[in-house]
């Protein structure tokens, strides 16, 4: 199996899951919390005709108010912290938070300094971590699949409570 | 030529120059503190040398003072660095901004990071630190611990105000609608035309220059690759060259050629991505999809050749880590296919009246503005600035290869798009030449010892001139000044948008292809 085949298989599986869970596309708001921009390049690559993530039911939205998921990149700089928190607050619950890339996972090469906060989970609960610097487009799809699984569990749990 | 030049300068300012040293193609002149503005003005306006960086160093432990360096790029592959001493007890220096607008942000950066104030600066607001940063804390001073987490204080940031009947403001960002980096734009508009734009950046400031001072030389290459992610190779090469210059090592010819190939692959995928972005923003989705597809193909080629879609991990101090000679046929075949596709696409793009309508005369930057702000790279060349580090200060294998440097005059989105398209063909030709002339032999020279010293390293990144100044002391990085091309180019957008309509802002922005992370660091 090639990487491309795997992308297809995972994408189709993800698509089925998203349909079953949402009955529509999964809406993602991407937040760059201080990335080096390579993580953004890979998110954008997912929209190119080779990967074309929209066909898997993955949709990037312009506002956090329309989002099911925040996809966060970068080590959360001191100067982006507030904007990230505001964006998270504007996202309706139940939401998913995905930390994409080594920086968002734990600060990565920038670590924890006067300027770098050292990873998204220092500031809000993270549901899924996608490692890589940057993660390849396939890895992002894989991470999204894990995230959707998690959301399914979250919903089930809340239903039990009700 | 360099000797003559130095003599001319010395003659002109005989009593003002305290000391002069030459190393490689860099001449350092220490001058009297109050003479810096006069001398810089002379270098810039009389001799026509662009000011390419200003940076400070904290030499209090060694020399009991701070120093400020003004770097000029001169003809004949020479750099002149004017140095002044600034005492801690009088932490001020005279501003150069009213003579050379390009000095603006450097001086404010020095103020924020070193606590040295540019006296008479037209806009002495903070640049890098936000209003919640306490006064008196300067991260690049040696006595500032990188792990400090200062409390947030109360403060306010004032934007320029444009007033008048019917004038209103549109604030945008830092979190944008698309998948792009964060930054704040504040437009003052009357109807659709933009009267004023103020940009506010440094949201992604990660303390990179301070971080350099605490990592090993090998790890520093990885850090350089992560300053502006899509310009990884250009940053890594510039950094490595600075260190190699200090160490006095000449990297193997084969490594020089391999570096050249990497740098041109990087230019190709970046330019294709920029063209795709412009096509998206003028609502030409077919062109956007196709250009994005071509970009993806280059990135996949990058991965096949180097193991990284971003060409990371290839450059190392002393050369490159992996030989790519066995990939020659594959690269050549891909280049042929891509060139055919790219050519067809460019013909369609530039012959489409709806595209022409949106990009011609849009977002003009005059040659005068471009020169004053030292706009670099394709953006500068589209405004008539005939400069390219590959030709003017050759590095890697560029002096042995032939290529053209496309220069246009109109300074609009159209010119910037065309310069990039032309450069893609040049990159393809350069890769073919480098592959056919690829010398045999080693790919890396081992760095055994490195003595103390400082040097400039530079490269022509896809976005333009990228500059490093590295100072090594006791095998450690004492100071690493990084100047990404976007640091020069960002201010030009405030001029480019004037009298344009708000809906054209995204196209203008895209055509300038500015890196936030490279700028903010
Ligand atoms: S994880 Fe790597 S690619 Fe992503 S933002 Fe951090 S340094 Fe850049």
């Amino acid at each position: 199996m090639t990487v491309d085949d795997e992308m297809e298989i995972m994408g189709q599986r993800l698509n089925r899951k998203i349909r079953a869970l949402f009955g529509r596309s999964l809406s993602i708001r991407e937040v760059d919390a201080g990335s080096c921009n390579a993580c953004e390049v890979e998110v954008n690559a997912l929209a190119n005709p080779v990967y074309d993530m929209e066909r898997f039911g993955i949709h990037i939205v312009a506002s956090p108010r329309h989002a099911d998921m925040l996809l966060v990149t970068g080590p959360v700089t001191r100067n982006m912290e507030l904007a990230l928190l505001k964006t998270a607050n504007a996202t309706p619950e139940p939401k998913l938070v995905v930390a994409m890339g080594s920086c968002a996972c734990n600060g990565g090469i920038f670590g924890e300094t006067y300027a770098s906060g050292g990873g998204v989970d220092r500031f809000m609960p993270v549901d899924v971590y996608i490692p890589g610097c940057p993660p390849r487009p396939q890895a992002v799809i894989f991470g999204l699949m894990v995230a959707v699984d998690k959301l399914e569990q979250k919903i089930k749990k809340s239903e039990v409570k009700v | 030529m360099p000797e003559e030049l130095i003599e001319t300068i010395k003659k002109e300012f005989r009593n003002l120059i305290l000391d002069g040293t030459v190393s490689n193609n860099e001449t350092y002149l220490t001058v009297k503190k109050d003479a810096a503005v006069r001398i810089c003005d002379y270098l810039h306006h009389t001799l026509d040398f662009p000011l390419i960086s200003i940076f400070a160093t904290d030499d209090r432990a060694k020399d009991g003072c701070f120093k400020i360096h003004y770097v000029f790029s001169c003809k004949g592959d020479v750099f002149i660095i004017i140095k002044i001493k600034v005492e801690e007890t009088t932490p001020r220096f005279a501003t150069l901004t009213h003579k050379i607008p390009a000095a603006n942000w450097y001086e404010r950066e020095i103020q924020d990071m070193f606590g040295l104030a540019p006296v008479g600066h037209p806009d002495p607001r903070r640049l890098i630190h936000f209003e919640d940063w306490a006064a008196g804390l300067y991260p690049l001073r040696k006595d500032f611990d990188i792990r400090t987490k200062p409390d947030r204080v109360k403060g306010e940031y004032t934007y320029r105000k444009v007033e008048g009947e019917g004038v209103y403001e549109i604030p945008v960002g830092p979190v944008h609608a698309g998948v792009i980096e964060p930054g704040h734009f504040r437009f003052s508009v009357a109807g659709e035309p933009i009267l004023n734009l103020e940009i506010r950046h440094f949201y992604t400031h990660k303390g990179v220059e301070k971080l350099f001072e605490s990592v090993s030389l090998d790890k520093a290459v990885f850090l350089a690759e992560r300053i502006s992610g899509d310009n990884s190779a250009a940053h890594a090469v510039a950094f490595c060259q600075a260190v190699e210059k200090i160490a006095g090592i000449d990297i193997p010819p084969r490594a020089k050629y391999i570096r050249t190939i990497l740098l041109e692959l990087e230019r190709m995928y970046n330019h294709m991505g920029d063209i795709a972005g412009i096509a998206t923003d003028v609502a030409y989705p077919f062109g956007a999809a196709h250009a994005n597809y071509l970009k993806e193909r280059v990135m996949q080629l990058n991965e096949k050749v180097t193991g990284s879609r971003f060409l990371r991990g290839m450059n190392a101090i002393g050369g490159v880590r992996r030989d790519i000679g066995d990939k020659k046929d594959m690269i050549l075949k891909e280049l042929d296919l891509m060139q055919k596709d790219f050519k067809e696409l460019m013909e369609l793009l530039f012959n489409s009246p709806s595209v022409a309508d949106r990009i011609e005369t849009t977002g003009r930057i005059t040659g005068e503005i471009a020169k004053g702000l030292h706009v670099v790279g394709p953006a500068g060349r589209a405004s008539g600035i005939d400069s390219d580090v590959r030709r003017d200060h050759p590095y890697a294998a560029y002096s042995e290869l032939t290529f053209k440097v496309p220069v246009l005059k109109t300074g609009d989105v159209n010119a910037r798009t065309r310069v990039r398209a032309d450069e893609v063909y040049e990159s393809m030709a350069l890769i073919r030449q480098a592959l056919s002339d690829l010398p045999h032999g080693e790919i890396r020279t081992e760095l055994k010892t490195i003595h103390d010293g400082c040097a400039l390293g530079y490269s022509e990144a896809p976005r333009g001139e990228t500059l490093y100044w590295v100072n090594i002391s006791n095998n450690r990085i004492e100071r690493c000044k990084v100047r990404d091309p976007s640091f020069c180019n960002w201010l030009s957008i405030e001029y480019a948008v004037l009298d344009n309509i708000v809906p054209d802002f995204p196209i203008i922005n895209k055509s300038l292809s500015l890196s936030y992370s490279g700028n903010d660091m």
Side-chain angles (χ1 to χ4, degrees):
Chain A
M1 190 162 77
T2 66
V3 181
D4 296 337
D5 298 339
E6 199 194 39
M7 178 87 187
E8 272 316 302
I9 294 166
M10 280 192 317
Q12 297 303 348
R13 266 180 60 191
L14 181 56
N15 194 11
R16 282 194 294 276
K17 267 185 194 293
I18 291 173
R19 261 172 197 257
L21 207 56
F22 295 93
R24 57 162 170 83
S25 288
L26 168 73
S27 299
I28 303 177
R29 173 74 282 224
E30 201 264 359
V31 183
D32 174 340
S35 113
C36 77
N37 83 25
C39 277
E40 276 57 50
V41 172
E42 292 300 44
V43 176
N44 281 321
L46 277 167
N48 74 30
V50 176
Y51 305 114
D52 189 15
M53 63 177 157
E54 292 255 354
R55 74 199 156 110
F56 300 139
I58 305 165
H59 184 54
I60 302 277
V61 290
S63 165
R65 298 194 193 280
H66 305 155
D68 307 304
M69 174 195 287
L70 286 184
L71 181 64
V72 187
T73 66
V76 190
T77 57
R78 179 187 166 102
N79 291 351
M80 265 311 285
E81 187 186 324
L82 190 63
L84 172 64
L85 293 176
K86 278 187 181 170
T87 309
N89 282 338
T91 315
E93 296 287 348
K95 63 169 178 281
L96 286 164
V97 177
V98 176
M100 172 185 171
S102 316
C103 289
C105 288
N106 64 4
I109 197 164
F110 304 106
E112 217 184 309
T113 66
Y114 75 94
S116 158
V120 180
D121 61 8
R122 295 283 167 101
F123 304 94
M124 62 185 69
V126 169
D127 295 291
V128 174
Y129 299 83
I130 309 180
C133 184
R136 307 178 91 264
Q138 288 85 347
V140 180
I141 293 287
F142 192 78
L144 295 184
M145 192 146 79
V146 178
V148 170
D149 278 343
K150 266 210 132 160
L151 184 64
E152 207 175 0
Q153 289 166 10
K154 264 194 191 179
I155 292 171
K156 268 190 197 142
K157 255 192 221 156
S158 66
E159 275 168 0
V160 170
K161 255 189 243 154
V162 170
Chain B
M1 163 71 182
E3 294 79 19
E4 272 170 44
L5 183 66
I6 305 304
E7 278 316 307
T8 324
I9 298 168
K10 280 191 174 161
K11 226 184 260 160
E12 188 76 26
F13 300 102
R14 200 181 307 272
N15 305 319
L16 304 176
I17 297 173
L18 306 171
D19 181 37
T21 53
V22 180
S23 74
N24 299 303
N25 58 351
E26 302 161 25
T27 300
Y28 293 81
L29 298 174
T30 306
V31 307
K32 285 192 179 156
K33 187 178 168 187
D34 50 10
V37 171
R38 249 182 77 193
I39 298 176
C40 291
D41 185 36
Y42 171 82
L43 289 175
H44 186 71
H45 287 114
T46 310
L47 299 182
D48 206 19
F49 298 151
L51 170 73
I52 60 172
S53 185
I54 308 177
F55 61 91
T57 52
D58 179 356
D59 296 341
R60 283 176 298 166
K62 202 170 90 217
D63 304 325
C65 62
F66 295 97
K67 288 189 197 119
I68 294 179
H69 307 236
Y70 302 85
V71 188
F72 291 87
S73 161
C74 314
K75 290 173 196 83
D77 190 18
V78 177
F79 294 94
I80 293 182
I81 297 102
I82 302 293
K83 270 165 73 170
I84 56 169
K85 291 181 182 169
V86 181
E87 307 295 333
E88 193 177 352
T89 47
T90 45
R92 291 176 285 277
F93 61 103
T95 183
L96 185 60
T97 303
H98 55 292
K99 300 266 185 204
I100 309 177
N104 185 346
W105 276 18
Y106 298 113
E107 295 184 339
R108 290 169 65 188
E109 176 184 42
I110 292 170
Q111 171 167 266
D112 280 9
M113 301 304 274
F114 287 89
L116 310 175
V119 178
H121 194 289
D123 179 11
R125 285 177 302 172
R126 284 182 174 179
L127 184 70
I128 294 166
H129 301 320
F130 282 12
E131 57 277 16
D132 63 9
W133 181 266
L137 292 172
Y138 308 113
L140 284 176
R141 286 195 177 190
K142 290 287 173 190
D143 46 17
F144 181 95
D145 180 350
I146 187 167
R147 287 175 308 249
T148 321
K149 294 238 174 218
D151 289 335
R152 291 181 192 267
V153 297
K154 249 190 126 51
E156 217 182 317
Y157 187 87
T158 32
Y159 289 92
R160 287 197 295 264
K161 229 163 170 64
V162 178
E163 278 163 325
E165 207 189 310
V167 177
Y168 63 98
E169 277 185 352
I170 312 176
V172 182
V175 179
H176 301 291
V179 180
I180 58 167
E181 299 178 76
H184 184 78
F185 300 90
R186 191 159 289 216
F187 299 92
S188 300
V189 297
E192 279 203 313
I194 301 168
L195 298 179
N196 185 55
L197 164 64
E198 180 167 355
I199 53 173
R200 185 185 185 195
H201 283 333
F202 300 90
Y203 285 89
T204 71
H205 176 65
K206 296 182 271 291
V208 169
E209 287 184 8
K210 187 77 177 176
L211 212 49
F212 267 112
E213 295 171 16
S214 61
V215 297
S216 68
L217 277 176
D218 279 331
K219 193 176 172 192
V221 184
F222 298 122
L223 188 57
E225 286 177 337
R226 283 153 185 82
I227 288 176
S228 181
D230 49 9
N231 283 204
S232 290
H235 271 271
V237 166
F239 173 75
C240 290
Q241 285 174 164
V243 178
E244 287 151 7
K245 220 164 154 189
I246 299 168
I249 50 176
D250 208 8
I251 70 165
R254 191 172 175 88
K256 288 187 182 169
Y257 276 71
I258 293 176
R259 278 187 181 173
T260 306
I261 295 167
L262 302 176
L263 292 165
E264 295 310 318
L265 284 168
E266 183 165 273
R267 195 175 328 278
M268 277 173 61
Y269 87 77
N270 271 276
H271 282 6
M272 286 167 176
D274 290 340
I275 292 170
I278 294 164
T280 305
D281 289 338
V282 299
Y284 187 59
F286 160 75
H290 205 107
N292 270 325
Y293 164 69
L294 283 168
K295 173 185 182 180
E296 174 67 23
R297 267 176 79 167
V298 184
M299 293 188 78
Q300 292 192 1
L301 180 64
N302 290 346
E303 189 176 37
K304 283 184 196 133
V305 174
T306 69
S308 159
R309 287 163 58 86
F310 293 83
L311 307 159
R312 286 179 173 174
M314 278 294 284
N315 283 291
I317 294 165
V320 292
R321 284 205 172 79
R322 193 198 267 207
D323 205 337
I324 63 170
D326 58 332
K327 309 283 192 320
K328 181 177 166 182
D329 294 339
M330 180 186 68
I331 301 174
L332 289 174
K333 208 172 121 205
E334 263 298 287
L335 278 185
D336 288 344
L337 293 171
M338 283 193 282
Q339 179 153 3
K340 196 173 150 279
D341 267 15
F342 185 74
K343 195 160 170 277
E344 278 173 24
L345 175 62
M346 288 307 102
E347 275 162 16
L348 283 170
L349 184 84
F350 289 119
N351 288 324
S352 153
S354 67
V355 172
D357 181 49
R358 295 293 302 277
I359 65 175
E360 279 173 12
T361 70
T362 307
R364 281 185 83 157
I365 299 173
T366 61
E368 199 187 339
I369 298 248
K371 201 171 167 199
L373 293 174
H374 187 54
V375 176
V376 297
R381 290 190 282 276
S383 292
I385 307 283
D386 186 7
S387 85
D388 188 318
V389 187
R390 296 175 293 174
R391 181 198 61 200
D392 305 335
H393 299 286
Y395 58 96
Y398 289 111
S399 59
E400 292 155 42
L401 306 170
T402 43
F403 58 98
K404 286 198 288 287
V405 176
V407 178
L408 293 173
K409 289 246 152 47
T410 48
D412 53 0
V413 174
N414 181 30
R416 292 191 279 276
T417 315
R418 283 178 192 271
V419 165
R420 288 201 183 85
D422 290 347
E423 288 186 8
V424 167
Y425 297 119
E426 293 300 319
S427 292
M428 290 173 166
L430 274 165
I431 296 172
R432 289 199 187 91
Q433 285 177 57
L435 280 171
S436 87
D437 300 350
L438 193 64
H440 293 288
E442 296 295 315
I443 56 166
R444 192 169 173 186
T445 312
E446 207 191 327
L447 174 78
K448 290 202 184 76
T449 50
I450 180 160
H451 44 255
D452 294 0
C454 59
L456 288 168
Y458 34 83
S459 63
E460 181 73 25
R463 293 192 176 87
E465 180 188 80
T466 303
L467 196 70
Y468 276 68
W469 182 82
V470 181
N471 184 10
I472 307 257
S473 160
N474 295 321
N475 284 308
R476 302 192 48 81
I477 298 173
E478 174 74 16
R479 174 89 169 95
C480 178
K481 170 68 205 159
V482 186
R483 211 278 279 119
D484 185 84
S486 295
F487 191 83
C488 300
N489 288 3
W490 261 115
L491 274 177
S492 70
I493 200 169
E494 294 189 345
Y495 295 89
V497 298
L498 294 181
D499 293 331
N500 283 263
I501 55 173
V502 177
D504 277 346
F505 171 72
I507 314 163
I508 299 170
N509 191 15
K510 195 68 227 164
S511 74
L512 286 164
S513 177
L514 295 152
S515 166
Y516 299 65
S517 184
N519 176 71
D520 304 352
M521 288 189 302

